PDB file of all heavy atoms in Angstrom:
ATOM      1  N   SER A 239     -11.050  16.971 -29.497  1.00 88.00           N
ATOM      2  CA  SER A 239     -10.174  17.928 -30.181  1.00 88.00           C
ATOM      3  C   SER A 239      -9.148  17.204 -31.045  1.00 88.00           C
ATOM      4  O   SER A 239      -8.878  17.594 -32.189  1.00 88.00           O
ATOM      5  CB  SER A 239      -9.478  18.821 -29.155  1.00 88.00           C
ATOM      6  OG  SER A 239      -8.541  19.684 -29.773  1.00 88.00           O
ATOM      7  N   LEU A 240      -8.567  16.125 -30.512  1.00 85.00           N
ATOM      8  CA  LEU A 240      -7.598  15.342 -31.281  1.00 85.00           C
ATOM      9  C   LEU A 240      -8.251  14.731 -32.511  1.00 85.00           C
ATOM     10  O   LEU A 240      -7.714  14.817 -33.628  1.00 85.00           O
ATOM     11  CB  LEU A 240      -7.010  14.240 -30.394  1.00 85.00           C
ATOM     12  CG  LEU A 240      -6.194  13.154 -31.102  1.00 85.00           C
ATOM     13  CD1 LEU A 240      -4.968  13.742 -31.769  1.00 85.00           C
ATOM     14  CD2 LEU A 240      -5.807  12.044 -30.132  1.00 85.00           C
ATOM     15  N   ILE A 241      -9.433  14.125 -32.332  1.00 87.00           N
ATOM     16  CA  ILE A 241     -10.084  13.443 -33.443  1.00 87.00           C
ATOM     17  C   ILE A 241     -10.582  14.427 -34.490  1.00 87.00           C
ATOM     18  O   ILE A 241     -10.601  14.120 -35.691  1.00 87.00           O
ATOM     19  CB  ILE A 241     -11.240  12.559 -32.915  1.00 87.00           C
ATOM     20  CG1 ILE A 241     -10.663  11.459 -32.038  1.00 87.00           C
ATOM     21  CG2 ILE A 241     -12.024  11.940 -34.061  1.00 87.00           C
ATOM     22  CD1 ILE A 241      -9.588  10.619 -32.700  1.00 87.00           C
ATOM     23  N   GLN A 242     -10.994  15.615 -34.072  1.00 87.00           N
ATOM     24  CA  GLN A 242     -11.416  16.614 -35.059  1.00 87.00           C
ATOM     25  C   GLN A 242     -10.276  16.979 -36.000  1.00 87.00           C
ATOM     26  O   GLN A 242     -10.477  17.134 -37.211  1.00 87.00           O
ATOM     27  CB  GLN A 242     -11.941  17.861 -34.332  1.00 87.00           C
ATOM     28  CG  GLN A 242     -13.319  17.672 -33.724  1.00 87.00           C
ATOM     29  CD  GLN A 242     -13.778  18.873 -32.914  1.00 87.00           C
ATOM     30  OE1 GLN A 242     -12.952  19.644 -32.408  1.00 87.00           O
ATOM     31  NE2 GLN A 242     -15.087  19.033 -32.774  1.00 87.00           N
ATOM     32  N   GLN A 243      -9.086  17.111 -35.443  1.00 84.00           N
ATOM     33  CA  GLN A 243      -7.937  17.435 -36.292  1.00 84.00           C
ATOM     34  C   GLN A 243      -7.509  16.223 -37.125  1.00 84.00           C
ATOM     35  O   GLN A 243      -7.105  16.365 -38.280  1.00 84.00           O
ATOM     36  CB  GLN A 243      -6.779  17.925 -35.415  1.00 84.00           C
ATOM     37  CG  GLN A 243      -7.137  19.225 -34.694  1.00 84.00           C
ATOM     38  CD  GLN A 243      -6.016  19.759 -33.850  1.00 84.00           C
ATOM     39  OE1 GLN A 243      -5.131  20.434 -34.358  1.00 84.00           O
ATOM     40  NE2 GLN A 243      -6.051  19.466 -32.562  1.00 84.00           N
ATOM     41  N   TYR A 244      -7.604  15.031 -36.528  1.00 83.00           N
ATOM     42  CA  TYR A 244      -7.310  13.809 -37.281  1.00 83.00           C
ATOM     43  C   TYR A 244      -8.279  13.660 -38.450  1.00 83.00           C
ATOM     44  O   TYR A 244      -7.881  13.344 -39.585  1.00 83.00           O
ATOM     45  CB  TYR A 244      -7.388  12.617 -36.339  1.00 83.00           C
ATOM     46  CG  TYR A 244      -7.373  11.282 -37.031  1.00 83.00           C
ATOM     47  CD1 TYR A 244      -6.196  10.752 -37.559  1.00 83.00           C
ATOM     48  CD2 TYR A 244      -8.534  10.522 -37.141  1.00 83.00           C
ATOM     49  CE1 TYR A 244      -6.178   9.520 -38.198  1.00 83.00           C
ATOM     50  CE2 TYR A 244      -8.535   9.284 -37.769  1.00 83.00           C
ATOM     51  CZ  TYR A 244      -7.361   8.784 -38.289  1.00 83.00           C
ATOM     52  OH  TYR A 244      -7.360   7.560 -38.911  1.00 83.00           O
ATOM     53  N   LEU A 245      -9.572  13.892 -38.186  1.00 85.00           N
ATOM     54  CA  LEU A 245     -10.570  13.769 -39.245  1.00 85.00           C
ATOM     55  C   LEU A 245     -10.434  14.874 -40.286  1.00 85.00           C
ATOM     56  O   LEU A 245     -10.784  14.674 -41.464  1.00 85.00           O
ATOM     57  CB  LEU A 245     -11.977  13.779 -38.640  1.00 85.00           C
ATOM     58  CG  LEU A 245     -12.420  12.463 -37.987  1.00 85.00           C
ATOM     59  CD1 LEU A 245     -13.756  12.639 -37.283  1.00 85.00           C
ATOM     60  CD2 LEU A 245     -12.530  11.361 -39.042  1.00 85.00           C
ATOM     61  N   ALA A 246      -9.944  16.034 -39.869  1.00 83.00           N
ATOM     62  CA  ALA A 246      -9.723  17.105 -40.851  1.00 83.00           C
ATOM     63  C   ALA A 246      -8.719  16.664 -41.908  1.00 83.00           C
ATOM     64  O   ALA A 246      -8.850  17.006 -43.092  1.00 83.00           O
ATOM     65  CB  ALA A 246      -9.240  18.362 -40.137  1.00 83.00           C
ATOM     66  N   ILE A 247      -7.722  15.907 -41.493  1.00 81.00           N
ATOM     67  CA  ILE A 247      -6.762  15.357 -42.457  1.00 81.00           C
ATOM     68  C   ILE A 247      -7.433  14.294 -43.330  1.00 81.00           C
ATOM     69  O   ILE A 247      -7.251  14.262 -44.553  1.00 81.00           O
ATOM     70  CB  ILE A 247      -5.554  14.751 -41.722  1.00 81.00           C
ATOM     71  CG1 ILE A 247      -4.829  15.828 -40.913  1.00 81.00           C
ATOM     72  CG2 ILE A 247      -4.598  14.076 -42.698  1.00 81.00           C
ATOM     73  CD1 ILE A 247      -3.705  15.301 -40.043  1.00 81.00           C
ATOM     74  N   GLU A 248      -8.236  13.422 -42.703  1.00 81.00           N
ATOM     75  CA  GLU A 248      -8.907  12.360 -43.454  1.00 81.00           C
ATOM     76  C   GLU A 248      -9.943  12.932 -44.430  1.00 81.00           C
ATOM     77  O   GLU A 248     -10.174  12.360 -45.510  1.00 81.00           O
ATOM     78  CB  GLU A 248      -9.580  11.386 -42.488  1.00 81.00           C
ATOM     79  CG  GLU A 248      -8.605  10.636 -41.584  1.00 81.00           C
ATOM     80  CD  GLU A 248      -7.633   9.799 -42.379  1.00 81.00           C
ATOM     81  OE1 GLU A 248      -8.079   9.005 -43.235  1.00 81.00           O
ATOM     82  OE2 GLU A 248      -6.410   9.946 -42.177  1.00 81.00           O
ATOM     83  N   LEU A 249     -10.565  14.054 -44.078  1.00 81.00           N
ATOM     84  CA  LEU A 249     -11.532  14.690 -44.994  1.00 81.00           C
ATOM     85  C   LEU A 249     -10.852  15.151 -46.273  1.00 81.00           C
ATOM     86  O   LEU A 249     -11.447  15.115 -47.358  1.00 81.00           O
ATOM     87  CB  LEU A 249     -12.211  15.871 -44.290  1.00 81.00           C
ATOM     88  CG  LEU A 249     -13.316  15.502 -43.283  1.00 81.00           C
ATOM     89  CD1 LEU A 249     -13.708  16.731 -42.455  1.00 81.00           C
ATOM     90  CD2 LEU A 249     -14.540  14.948 -44.007  1.00 81.00           C
ATOM     91  N   VAL A 250      -9.611  15.585 -46.145  1.00 80.00           N
ATOM     92  CA  VAL A 250      -8.857  15.963 -47.344  1.00 80.00           C
ATOM     93  C   VAL A 250      -8.563  14.725 -48.178  1.00 80.00           C
ATOM     94  O   VAL A 250      -8.680  14.738 -49.409  1.00 80.00           O
ATOM     95  CB  VAL A 250      -7.541  16.671 -46.945  1.00 80.00           C
ATOM     96  CG1 VAL A 250      -6.690  16.951 -48.182  1.00 80.00           C
ATOM     97  CG2 VAL A 250      -7.841  17.963 -46.204  1.00 80.00           C
ATOM     98  N   ARG A 251      -8.220  13.618 -47.514  1.00 78.00           N
ATOM     99  CA  ARG A 251      -7.872  12.395 -48.240  1.00 78.00           C
ATOM    100  C   ARG A 251      -9.085  11.775 -48.918  1.00 78.00           C
ATOM    101  O   ARG A 251      -9.013  11.294 -50.050  1.00 78.00           O
ATOM    102  CB  ARG A 251      -7.242  11.389 -47.262  1.00 78.00           C
ATOM    103  CG  ARG A 251      -6.648  10.161 -47.908  1.00 78.00           C
ATOM    104  CD  ARG A 251      -5.680   9.467 -46.976  1.00 78.00           C
ATOM    105  NE  ARG A 251      -6.352   8.874 -45.829  1.00 78.00           N
ATOM    106  CZ  ARG A 251      -6.765   7.596 -45.786  1.00 78.00           C
ATOM    107  NH1 ARG A 251      -6.569   6.820 -46.831  1.00 78.00           N
ATOM    108  NH2 ARG A 251      -7.342   7.130 -44.711  1.00 78.00           N
ATOM    109  N   PHE A 252     -10.243  11.794 -48.201  1.00 80.00           N
ATOM    110  CA  PHE A 252     -11.448  11.198 -48.776  1.00 80.00           C
ATOM    111  C   PHE A 252     -12.233  12.170 -49.650  1.00 80.00           C
ATOM    112  O   PHE A 252     -13.178  11.763 -50.319  1.00 80.00           O
ATOM    113  CB  PHE A 252     -12.364  10.696 -47.642  1.00 80.00           C
ATOM    114  CG  PHE A 252     -11.936   9.374 -47.055  1.00 80.00           C
ATOM    115  CD1 PHE A 252     -11.129   9.327 -45.941  1.00 80.00           C
ATOM    116  CD2 PHE A 252     -12.339   8.178 -47.634  1.00 80.00           C
ATOM    117  CE1 PHE A 252     -10.740   8.125 -45.388  1.00 80.00           C
ATOM    118  CE2 PHE A 252     -11.957   6.972 -47.098  1.00 80.00           C
ATOM    119  CZ  PHE A 252     -11.148   6.933 -45.968  1.00 80.00           C
ATOM    120  N   ALA A 253     -11.879  13.444 -49.581  1.00 76.00           N
ATOM    121  CA  ALA A 253     -12.580  14.485 -50.357  1.00 76.00           C
ATOM    122  C   ALA A 253     -14.058  14.468 -50.011  1.00 76.00           C
ATOM    123  O   ALA A 253     -14.434  14.478 -48.841  1.00 76.00           O
ATOM    124  CB  ALA A 253     -12.330  14.300 -51.842  1.00 76.00           C
ATOM    125  N   ASP A 254     -14.928  14.434 -51.044  1.00 80.00           N
ATOM    126  CA  ASP A 254     -16.371  14.510 -50.790  1.00 80.00           C
ATOM    127  C   ASP A 254     -16.989  13.149 -50.501  1.00 80.00           C
ATOM    128  O   ASP A 254     -18.212  13.026 -50.444  1.00 80.00           O
ATOM    129  CB  ASP A 254     -17.071  15.155 -51.989  1.00 80.00           C
ATOM    130  CG  ASP A 254     -16.796  14.403 -53.290  1.00 80.00           C
ATOM    131  OD1 ASP A 254     -15.989  13.446 -53.269  1.00 80.00           O
ATOM    132  OD2 ASP A 254     -17.385  14.766 -54.320  1.00 80.00           O
ATOM    133  N   ARG A 255     -16.168  12.119 -50.292  1.00 85.00           N
ATOM    134  CA  ARG A 255     -16.686  10.779 -49.998  1.00 85.00           C
ATOM    135  C   ARG A 255     -16.919  10.572 -48.509  1.00 85.00           C
ATOM    136  O   ARG A 255     -17.388   9.513 -48.100  1.00 85.00           O
ATOM    137  CB  ARG A 255     -15.723   9.713 -50.517  1.00 85.00           C
ATOM    138  CG  ARG A 255     -15.570   9.706 -52.019  1.00 85.00           C
ATOM    139  CD  ARG A 255     -14.553   8.673 -52.482  1.00 85.00           C
ATOM    140  NE  ARG A 255     -14.907   7.340 -52.026  1.00 85.00           N
ATOM    141  CZ  ARG A 255     -14.135   6.576 -51.265  1.00 85.00           C
ATOM    142  NH1 ARG A 255     -12.969   7.043 -50.816  1.00 85.00           N
ATOM    143  NH2 ARG A 255     -14.523   5.360 -50.904  1.00 85.00           N
ATOM    144  N   LEU A 256     -16.596  11.567 -47.694  1.00 88.00           N
ATOM    145  CA  LEU A 256     -16.725  11.405 -46.246  1.00 88.00           C
ATOM    146  C   LEU A 256     -17.469  12.581 -45.632  1.00 88.00           C
ATOM    147  O   LEU A 256     -17.160  13.739 -45.917  1.00 88.00           O
ATOM    148  CB  LEU A 256     -15.334  11.288 -45.598  1.00 88.00           C
ATOM    149  CG  LEU A 256     -15.295  11.287 -44.052  1.00 88.00           C
ATOM    150  CD1 LEU A 256     -16.042  10.079 -43.498  1.00 88.00           C
ATOM    151  CD2 LEU A 256     -13.870  11.328 -43.555  1.00 88.00           C
ATOM    152  N   GLN A 257     -18.461  12.244 -44.810  1.00 89.00           N
ATOM    153  CA  GLN A 257     -19.159  13.241 -44.003  1.00 89.00           C
ATOM    154  C   GLN A 257     -19.029  12.830 -42.521  1.00 89.00           C
ATOM    155  O   GLN A 257     -19.158  11.649 -42.195  1.00 89.00           O
ATOM    156  CB  GLN A 257     -20.640  13.340 -44.384  1.00 89.00           C
ATOM    157  CG  GLN A 257     -20.874  13.952 -45.763  1.00 89.00           C
ATOM    158  CD  GLN A 257     -22.360  14.134 -46.041  1.00 89.00           C
ATOM    159  OE1 GLN A 257     -23.200  13.527 -45.383  1.00 89.00           O
ATOM    160  NE2 GLN A 257     -22.662  14.968 -47.019  1.00 89.00           N
ATOM    161  N   VAL A 258     -18.817  13.828 -41.693  1.00 90.00           N
ATOM    162  CA  VAL A 258     -18.662  13.578 -40.257  1.00 90.00           C
ATOM    163  C   VAL A 258     -19.734  14.346 -39.502  1.00 90.00           C
ATOM    164  O   VAL A 258     -19.928  15.548 -39.733  1.00 90.00           O
ATOM    165  CB  VAL A 258     -17.268  13.982 -39.750  1.00 90.00           C
ATOM    166  CG1 VAL A 258     -17.151  13.715 -38.255  1.00 90.00           C
ATOM    167  CG2 VAL A 258     -16.177  13.229 -40.512  1.00 90.00           C
ATOM    168  N   VAL A 259     -20.439  13.660 -38.619  1.00 92.00           N
ATOM    169  CA  VAL A 259     -21.492  14.274 -37.806  1.00 92.00           C
ATOM    170  C   VAL A 259     -21.122  14.074 -36.333  1.00 92.00           C
ATOM    171  O   VAL A 259     -20.769  12.962 -35.910  1.00 92.00           O
ATOM    172  CB  VAL A 259     -22.872  13.643 -38.101  1.00 92.00           C
ATOM    173  CG1 VAL A 259     -23.936  14.271 -37.214  1.00 92.00           C
ATOM    174  CG2 VAL A 259     -23.228  13.803 -39.574  1.00 92.00           C
ATOM    175  N   TRP A 260     -21.219  15.153 -35.567  1.00 93.00           N
ATOM    176  CA  TRP A 260     -20.920  15.104 -34.134  1.00 93.00           C
ATOM    177  C   TRP A 260     -22.217  15.250 -33.337  1.00 93.00           C
ATOM    178  O   TRP A 260     -22.995  16.179 -33.562  1.00 93.00           O
ATOM    179  CB  TRP A 260     -19.955  16.220 -33.734  1.00 93.00           C
ATOM    180  CG  TRP A 260     -18.631  16.123 -34.421  1.00 93.00           C
ATOM    181  CD1 TRP A 260     -18.267  16.688 -35.601  1.00 93.00           C
ATOM    182  CD2 TRP A 260     -17.491  15.388 -33.960  1.00 93.00           C
ATOM    183  NE1 TRP A 260     -16.979  16.367 -35.924  1.00 93.00           N
ATOM    184  CE2 TRP A 260     -16.463  15.573 -34.922  1.00 93.00           C
ATOM    185  CE3 TRP A 260     -17.222  14.613 -32.839  1.00 93.00           C
ATOM    186  CZ2 TRP A 260     -15.213  14.993 -34.801  1.00 93.00           C
ATOM    187  CZ3 TRP A 260     -15.972  14.039 -32.712  1.00 93.00           C
ATOM    188  CH2 TRP A 260     -14.987  14.225 -33.679  1.00 93.00           C
ATOM    189  N   GLU A 261     -22.447  14.326 -32.424  1.00 93.00           N
ATOM    190  CA  GLU A 261     -23.617  14.378 -31.543  1.00 93.00           C
ATOM    191  C   GLU A 261     -23.132  14.201 -30.099  1.00 93.00           C
ATOM    192  O   GLU A 261     -23.310  13.158 -29.478  1.00 93.00           O
ATOM    193  CB  GLU A 261     -24.614  13.274 -31.904  1.00 93.00           C
ATOM    194  CG  GLU A 261     -25.169  13.415 -33.320  1.00 93.00           C
ATOM    195  CD  GLU A 261     -26.097  12.266 -33.710  1.00 93.00           C
ATOM    196  OE1 GLU A 261     -26.203  11.285 -32.927  1.00 93.00           O
ATOM    197  OE2 GLU A 261     -26.710  12.350 -34.783  1.00 93.00           O
ATOM    198  N   ILE A 262     -22.529  15.251 -29.584  1.00 93.00           N
ATOM    199  CA  ILE A 262     -21.893  15.202 -28.265  1.00 93.00           C
ATOM    200  C   ILE A 262     -22.725  16.004 -27.271  1.00 93.00           C
ATOM    201  O   ILE A 262     -22.914  17.209 -27.443  1.00 93.00           O
ATOM    202  CB  ILE A 262     -20.459  15.767 -28.311  1.00 93.00           C
ATOM    203  CG1 ILE A 262     -19.653  15.128 -29.454  1.00 93.00           C
ATOM    204  CG2 ILE A 262     -19.770  15.571 -26.959  1.00 93.00           C
ATOM    205  CD1 ILE A 262     -19.444  13.648 -29.301  1.00 93.00           C
ATOM    206  N   GLU A 263     -23.255  15.330 -26.246  1.00 93.00           N
ATOM    207  CA  GLU A 263     -23.975  16.053 -25.206  1.00 93.00           C
ATOM    208  C   GLU A 263     -22.994  16.905 -24.399  1.00 93.00           C
ATOM    209  O   GLU A 263     -21.877  16.477 -24.094  1.00 93.00           O
ATOM    210  CB  GLU A 263     -24.696  15.065 -24.277  1.00 93.00           C
ATOM    211  CG  GLU A 263     -25.825  14.300 -24.960  1.00 93.00           C
ATOM    212  CD  GLU A 263     -26.559  13.387 -23.998  1.00 93.00           C
ATOM    213  OE1 GLU A 263     -26.130  13.294 -22.823  1.00 93.00           O
ATOM    214  OE2 GLU A 263     -27.558  12.761 -24.412  1.00 93.00           O
ATOM    215  N   ASP A 264     -23.439  18.103 -24.057  1.00 92.00           N
ATOM    216  CA  ASP A 264     -22.537  19.063 -23.401  1.00 92.00           C
ATOM    217  C   ASP A 264     -21.949  18.520 -22.098  1.00 92.00           C
ATOM    218  O   ASP A 264     -20.772  18.724 -21.792  1.00 92.00           O
ATOM    219  CB  ASP A 264     -23.280  20.377 -23.126  1.00 92.00           C
ATOM    220  CG  ASP A 264     -23.577  21.144 -24.421  1.00 92.00           C
ATOM    221  OD1 ASP A 264     -22.892  20.876 -25.421  1.00 92.00           O
ATOM    222  OD2 ASP A 264     -24.479  21.998 -24.403  1.00 92.00           O
ATOM    223  N   GLU A 265     -22.764  17.829 -21.294  1.00 92.00           N
ATOM    224  CA  GLU A 265     -22.283  17.379 -19.988  1.00 92.00           C
ATOM    225  C   GLU A 265     -21.200  16.316 -20.093  1.00 92.00           C
ATOM    226  O   GLU A 265     -20.469  16.069 -19.136  1.00 92.00           O
ATOM    227  CB  GLU A 265     -23.440  16.860 -19.144  1.00 92.00           C
ATOM    228  CG  GLU A 265     -24.065  15.572 -19.643  1.00 92.00           C
ATOM    229  CD  GLU A 265     -25.061  15.004 -18.642  1.00 92.00           C
ATOM    230  OE1 GLU A 265     -24.905  15.268 -17.429  1.00 92.00           O
ATOM    231  OE2 GLU A 265     -25.993  14.305 -19.073  1.00 92.00           O
ATOM    232  N   THR A 266     -21.078  15.684 -21.270  1.00 94.00           N
ATOM    233  CA  THR A 266     -20.060  14.639 -21.412  1.00 94.00           C
ATOM    234  C   THR A 266     -18.687  15.211 -21.745  1.00 94.00           C
ATOM    235  O   THR A 266     -17.691  14.471 -21.721  1.00 94.00           O
ATOM    236  CB  THR A 266     -20.452  13.642 -22.515  1.00 94.00           C
ATOM    237  OG1 THR A 266     -20.501  14.320 -23.787  1.00 94.00           O
ATOM    238  CG2 THR A 266     -21.816  13.029 -22.221  1.00 94.00           C
ATOM    239  N   GLN A 267     -18.613  16.495 -22.039  1.00 93.00           N
ATOM    240  CA  GLN A 267     -17.330  17.078 -22.440  1.00 93.00           C
ATOM    241  C   GLN A 267     -16.257  16.908 -21.355  1.00 93.00           C
ATOM    242  O   GLN A 267     -15.086  16.729 -21.659  1.00 93.00           O
ATOM    243  CB  GLN A 267     -17.503  18.572 -22.754  1.00 93.00           C
ATOM    244  CG  GLN A 267     -18.362  18.873 -23.967  1.00 93.00           C
ATOM    245  CD  GLN A 267     -17.585  18.776 -25.269  1.00 93.00           C
ATOM    246  OE1 GLN A 267     -16.401  18.497 -25.273  1.00 93.00           O
ATOM    247  NE2 GLN A 267     -18.269  19.015 -26.379  1.00 93.00           N
ATOM    248  N   ASP A 268     -16.668  16.973 -20.088  1.00 92.00           N
ATOM    249  CA  ASP A 268     -15.711  16.878 -18.982  1.00 92.00           C
ATOM    250  C   ASP A 268     -15.560  15.465 -18.436  1.00 92.00           C
ATOM    251  O   ASP A 268     -14.835  15.250 -17.473  1.00 92.00           O
ATOM    252  CB  ASP A 268     -16.129  17.820 -17.843  1.00 92.00           C
ATOM    253  CG  ASP A 268     -16.048  19.283 -18.257  1.00 92.00           C
ATOM    254  OD1 ASP A 268     -15.112  19.621 -18.991  1.00 92.00           O
ATOM    255  OD2 ASP A 268     -16.920  20.068 -17.841  1.00 92.00           O
ATOM    256  N   ALA A 269     -16.249  14.510 -19.041  1.00 94.00           N
ATOM    257  CA  ALA A 269     -16.148  13.122 -18.564  1.00 94.00           C
ATOM    258  C   ALA A 269     -14.753  12.575 -18.845  1.00 94.00           C
ATOM    259  O   ALA A 269     -14.184  12.803 -19.917  1.00 94.00           O
ATOM    260  CB  ALA A 269     -17.207  12.256 -19.241  1.00 94.00           C
ATOM    261  N   MET A 270     -14.206  11.865 -17.877  1.00 93.00           N
ATOM    262  CA  MET A 270     -12.888  11.269 -18.043  1.00 93.00           C
ATOM    263  C   MET A 270     -13.003   9.960 -18.822  1.00 93.00           C
ATOM    264  O   MET A 270     -13.817   9.097 -18.496  1.00 93.00           O
ATOM    265  CB  MET A 270     -12.247  11.011 -16.685  1.00 93.00           C
ATOM    266  CG  MET A 270     -12.033  12.269 -15.843  1.00 93.00           C
ATOM    267  SD  MET A 270     -10.915  13.450 -16.624  1.00 93.00           S
ATOM    268  CE  MET A 270      -9.348  12.602 -16.419  1.00 93.00           C
ATOM    269  N   VAL A 271     -12.171   9.829 -19.870  1.00 92.00           N
ATOM    270  CA  VAL A 271     -12.160   8.636 -20.701  1.00 92.00           C
ATOM    271  C   VAL A 271     -10.708   8.216 -20.915  1.00 92.00           C
ATOM    272  O   VAL A 271      -9.785   9.017 -20.732  1.00 92.00           O
ATOM    273  CB  VAL A 271     -12.851   8.891 -22.058  1.00 92.00           C
ATOM    274  CG1 VAL A 271     -14.318   9.231 -21.866  1.00 92.00           C
ATOM    275  CG2 VAL A 271     -12.132   9.986 -22.830  1.00 92.00           C
ATOM    276  N   PRO A 272     -10.472   6.966 -21.308  1.00 88.00           N
ATOM    277  CA  PRO A 272      -9.100   6.537 -21.561  1.00 88.00           C
ATOM    278  C   PRO A 272      -8.438   7.382 -22.653  1.00 88.00           C
ATOM    279  O   PRO A 272      -9.068   7.733 -23.650  1.00 88.00           O
ATOM    280  CB  PRO A 272      -9.262   5.082 -22.009  1.00 88.00           C
ATOM    281  CG  PRO A 272     -10.534   4.641 -21.382  1.00 88.00           C
ATOM    282  CD  PRO A 272     -11.433   5.841 -21.402  1.00 88.00           C
ATOM    283  N   THR A 273      -7.188   7.710 -22.457  1.00 84.00           N
ATOM    284  CA  THR A 273      -6.436   8.474 -23.441  1.00 84.00           C
ATOM    285  C   THR A 273      -6.352   7.709 -24.762  1.00 84.00           C
ATOM    286  O   THR A 273      -6.164   6.497 -24.770  1.00 84.00           O
ATOM    287  CB  THR A 273      -5.017   8.758 -22.908  1.00 84.00           C
ATOM    288  OG1 THR A 273      -5.130   9.445 -21.659  1.00 84.00           O
ATOM    289  CG2 THR A 273      -4.238   9.621 -23.876  1.00 84.00           C
TER     290      THR A 273
END
Side-chain angles (χ1 to χ4, degrees):
S239 175
L240 168 63
I241 295 305
Q242 285 175 335
Q243 296 181 83
Y244 169 76
L245 283 173
I247 299 174
E248 296 299 308
L249 283 169
V250 175
R251 189 162 68 94
F252 281 94
D254 57 355
R255 296 177 57 239
L256 173 63
Q257 291 185 342
V258 180
V259 178
W260 298 91
E261 298 176 353
I262 310 296
E263 293 183 356
D264 290 339
E265 68 171 333
T266 64
Q267 294 277 359
D268 294 322
M270 299 298 288
V271 297
T273 303

